[in-house]
């Protein structure tokens, strides 16, 4: 028996949903045109006015927004409501120059939490559940989003935030958590820790997990399901559009339903920007049609995936997106954190190292490893090990400050990092995720 | 009096040390004293050679990271307690030793000790005042 948080919306006929999207899009374009000079200018440059947008069929006429626009317009350039109407900001995993700050009115928070409530309900959550949220709380959207959704559903919410695994397990056991929300790699880690402590999968009360914020595979899903004795559900979102809950998985576990009443999804050719027909692989683009404070139109996510309207056994009619199968830019997601190689380069240069480095990522026992190889120079060399290790520790600390995750730094001899066509290969991602 | 020491960065992998020593040998660099400080990932090869400038050029051309720094080379009697006496002079003057290494002289009656301290000038003065013989770059070349 499938549970819905908002059956009317989640199972709405395609005709009714399109009508709803048409109305909301037309109003949203006008709202943005009137309140966001940055986007209005982009529309004017393309020769488009709100009058040209009569329905979702006209969506393709609107200009795209990209991460570069968010950077250019930082911090208030895409704000569509007075700050006095806003009640919250959230931000992406702290990045110099690429930071995204998203604003929310109370209405926006309500819609976002509603999306998360749908995800929790689809995972079988009800007011009788104990929902343990171990996504980070704070600027990161994971914790606040699922926390809000859990409150809406009426679960007893355990706002654990991330880390301190021993305490997570103690609360999980003592308070009989039934739903676990975290990154898939952390779920796998908890599973291992439980095993090491001598617990069997049936010893905990968990029945479901809602895992997202980083790429993971079907194999990893099976492993987590086995080690925790649960059903593991995927969830998708990004700070730019609100946070987790843009799309969520149902009992069929074959892709995530997009909350189409709030977000219109398109798949485009990342090179030409041309909209591709349903079922094509391309870059995912979202248009927020209900957000007030930070309403991004045609935002390019850089995630490569496929959309499908194939009938779902759960009864939902919301379009489904497959797990993203890669990125159209150089962004990496390591342990749930967005990492651009250029950020690491900036730190290296600031610390006096040459920009000759290589990032190597792998997944060992379901946890991402993050190694940075840096070429030694005459200038950075010292005759004492202590000096070199002090500088190395400072480098690790500076990267941790920027990214929030600890790399393992390896100093290597000059000119030993592989170069192809004269250009160094910056990233070696050994994770097998697709 | 100071002498110049070269420090070379070497990855902690099989064959790396032999490669750098081979390169120096091919270029007729004579090693007077050497020492390696090692860590899990890398080592620092410290060298006292007959021609420091040439060795630095050879290493640079060979793609090695290297740096030169000043250390003290001390001649001590090759007898029990010979080095202990010199170190007590440093200790008495509040000078701390970062690291040191030794090589026997060909004459056999004395030993050369390479010492890296926190204050070269103060250490040189203190040791000279107590009658210890410090070697110069010139002395090293002529060994």
């Amino acid at each position: 028996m499938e549970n819905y948080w908002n059956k009317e919306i989640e199972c709405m006929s395609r005709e009714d949903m399109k009508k709803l999207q048409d109305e909301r899009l037309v109003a949203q374009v006008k709202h943005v045109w009137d309140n966001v000079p940055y986007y209005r200018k982009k529309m004017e440059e393309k020769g488009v006015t709100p009058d040209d947008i009569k329905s979702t069929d006209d969506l393709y006429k609107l200009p795209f927004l990209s991460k570069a626009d968010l950077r250019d317009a930082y911090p208030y350039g895409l704000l569509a409501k007075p700050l006095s109407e806003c009640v919250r900001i959230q931000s992406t995993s702290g990045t110099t120059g690429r930071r995204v700050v998203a604003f929310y009115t109370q209405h926006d928070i309500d819609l976002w939490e509603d999306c998360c409530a749908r995800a929790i309900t689809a995972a079988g959550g009800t007011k009788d559940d104990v929902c343990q949220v171990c996504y980070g709380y704070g600027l990161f959207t994971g914790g606040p989003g699922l926390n809000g959704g859990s409150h809406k559903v009426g679960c007893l919410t355990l706002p654990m935030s991330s880390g301190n695994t021993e305490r997570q397990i103690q609360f999980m056991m003592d308070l009989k958590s039934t739903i676990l929300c975290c990154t898939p790699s952390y779920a796998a880690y908890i599973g291992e820790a439980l095993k090491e402590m001598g617990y069997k999968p049936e010893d905990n009360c968990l029945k479901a997990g809602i895992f997202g914020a980083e790429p993971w595979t079907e194999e990893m899903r099976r492993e987590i399901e086995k080690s925790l004795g649960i059903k593991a559900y995927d969830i998708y979102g990004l700070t730019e559009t609100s946070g987790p809950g843009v799309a969520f998985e149902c009992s069929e576990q074959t892709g995530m339903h997009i909350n189409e009443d709030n977000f219109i999804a398109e798949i485009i050719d990342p090179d030409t920007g041309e909209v591709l027909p349903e079922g094509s692989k391309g870059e995912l683009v979202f248009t927020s049609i209900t957000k007030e404070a930070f309403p991004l139109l045609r935002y390019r996510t850089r995630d490569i995936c496929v959309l499908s309207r194939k009938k779902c056994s759960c009864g939902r009619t919301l379009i489904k997106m497959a797990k993203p199968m890669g990125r159209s830019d150089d962004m990496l997601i390591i342990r749930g954190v967005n990492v651009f190689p250029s950020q690491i380069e900036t730190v290296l240069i600031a610390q006096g190292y040459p920009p000759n480095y290589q990032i190597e990522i792998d997944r060992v026992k379901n946890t991402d490893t993050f190694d940075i190889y840096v070429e030694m120079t005459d200038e950075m060399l010292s005759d004492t090990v202590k000096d070199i290790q002090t500088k190395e520790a400072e480098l690790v600390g500076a990267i941790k400050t920027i990214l929030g995750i600890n790399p393992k730094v390896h100093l290597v001899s000059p000119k030993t990092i592989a170069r192809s066509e004269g250009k160094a290969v910056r990233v070696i991602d050994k994770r097998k995720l697709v | 009096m100071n002498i110049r020491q070269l420090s070379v960065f070497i990855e902690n992998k099989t064959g790396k040390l032999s490669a750098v020593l081979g390169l120096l040998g091919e270029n007729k660099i004579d090693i007077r004293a050497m020492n390696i400080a090692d860590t899990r990932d890398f080592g620092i090869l410290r060298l006292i050679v007959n021609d420091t400038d040439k060795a630095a050029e050879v290493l640079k051309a060979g793609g090695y990271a290297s740096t030169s720094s000043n250390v003290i080379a001390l001649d001590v009697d090759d007898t029990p307690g010979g080095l202990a006496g010199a170190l007590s002079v440093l200790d008495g003057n509040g000078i701390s030793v970062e690291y040191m290494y030794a090589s026997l002289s060909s004459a056999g009656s004395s030993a050369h000790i390479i010492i890296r301290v926190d204050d070269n000038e103060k250490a040189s003065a203190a040791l000279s005042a107590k009658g210890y013989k410090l070697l110069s770059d010139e002395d090293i070349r002529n060994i």
Side-chain angles (χ1 to χ4, degrees), chain A residues 362-395:
Chain A
D362 204 347
R363 190 161 281 178
V364 179
K365 287 190 180 171
N366 287 320
T367 301
D368 291 340
T369 59
F370 177 24
D371 293 83
I372 304 175
Y373 294 84
V374 185
E375 288 185 0
M376 189 43 126
T377 61
D378 294 352
E379 294 70 34
M380 295 308 287
L381 185 58
S382 156
D383 61 326
T384 67
V385 167
K386 191 175 65 186
D387 285 355
I388 296 175
Q389 288 181 332
T390 303
K391 283 183 207 160
E392 202 178 324
E394 281 167 7
L395 176 62

Side-chain angles (χ1 to χ4, degrees), chain A residues 284-422:
Chain A
L284 184 59
V285 173
F286 279 117
T287 296
S288 296
I289 48 176
T290 48
K291 281 191 78 177
E292 295 180 336
F294 203 64
L296 300 189
L297 304 182
R298 300 199 86 199
Y299 180 69
R300 295 181 63 159
T301 64
R302 297 283 164 190
D303 279 325
I304 301 292
C305 84
V306 175
L307 296 179
S308 163
R309 285 212 179 271
K310 218 174 123 196
K311 193 172 182 321
C312 187
S313 62
C314 76
R316 287 180 184 80
T317 51
L318 299 171
I319 196 167
K320 272 158 92 170
M321 61 178 274
K323 252 183 213 304
M325 34 193 110
R327 304 267 316 162
S328 66
D329 63 7
D330 60 353
M331 190 180 89
L332 299 161
I333 301 178
I334 308 174
R335 294 179 209 151
V337 172
N338 297 353
V339 174
F340 286 92
S342 58
Q343 293 174 267
I344 291 163
E345 191 164 319
T346 307
V347 177
L348 285 173
I349 293 167
Q351 300 267 322
Y353 289 93
N356 298 329
Y357 64 94
Q358 191 165 61
I359 303 165
E360 191 178 286
I361 306 147
D362 204 347
R363 190 161 281 178
V364 179
K365 287 190 180 171
N366 287 320
T367 301
D368 291 340
T369 59
F370 177 24
D371 293 83
I372 304 175
Y373 294 84
V374 185
E375 288 185 0
M376 189 43 126
T377 61
D378 294 352
E379 294 70 34
M380 295 308 287
L381 185 58
S382 156
D383 61 326
T384 67
V385 167
K386 191 175 65 186
D387 285 355
I388 296 175
Q389 288 181 332
T390 303
K391 283 183 207 160
E392 202 178 324
E394 281 167 7
L395 176 62
V396 170
I399 292 171
K400 159 98 191 191
T401 303
I402 296 267
L403 302 178
I405 51 173
N406 263 317
K408 200 189 247 177
V409 168
H410 307 269
L411 297 170
V412 298
S413 298
K415 300 188 179 63
T416 49
I417 286 172
R419 287 156 166 85
S420 68
E421 292 163 13

Side-chain angles (χ1 to χ4, degrees), chain A residues 67-125:
Chain A
K67 202 124 182 160
D69 288 307
L70 296 189
R71 195 172 53 218
D72 291 348
Y74 175 88
Y76 301 128
L78 292 163
L79 189 62
K81 278 280 184 183
L83 282 176
S84 59
E85 301 286 313
C86 297
V87 298
R88 173 100 63 87
I89 67 139
Q90 300 285 164
S91 182
T92 51
S93 40
T95 64
T96 38
R98 302 223 191 211
R99 187 182 292 281
V100 171
V101 172
F103 299 83
Y104 304 73
T105 61
Q106 188 56 50
H107 162 89
D108 296 336
I109 297 272
D110 287 339
L111 288 178
W112 175 26
E113 293 180 350
D114 200 74
C115 289
C116 290
R118 292 180 197 175
I120 293 170
T121 308

Side-chain angles (χ1 to χ4, degrees), chain B residues 71-137:
Chain B
V71 291
I72 290 172
L74 174 70
D75 223 14
V76 293
D77 286 340
D78 189 9
T79 54
L83 178 58
L87 290 184
S88 71
V89 173
L90 296 177
D91 195 25
N93 283 276
I95 297 161
S96 83
V97 176
E98 297 271 348
Y99 58 80
M100 58 186 293
Y101 50 102
S103 71
L104 291 172
S105 79
S106 48
S109 60
S110 68
H112 304 311
I113 311 291
I114 311 297
I115 312 179
R116 163 75 143 83
V117 293
D118 55 358
D119 187 337
N120 279 340
E121 302 316 313
K122 202 173 156 189
S124 298
L127 290 166
S128 300
K130 290 283 178 188
Y132 285 94
K133 188 185 173 214
L134 300 180
L135 303 181
S136 65
D137 279 324

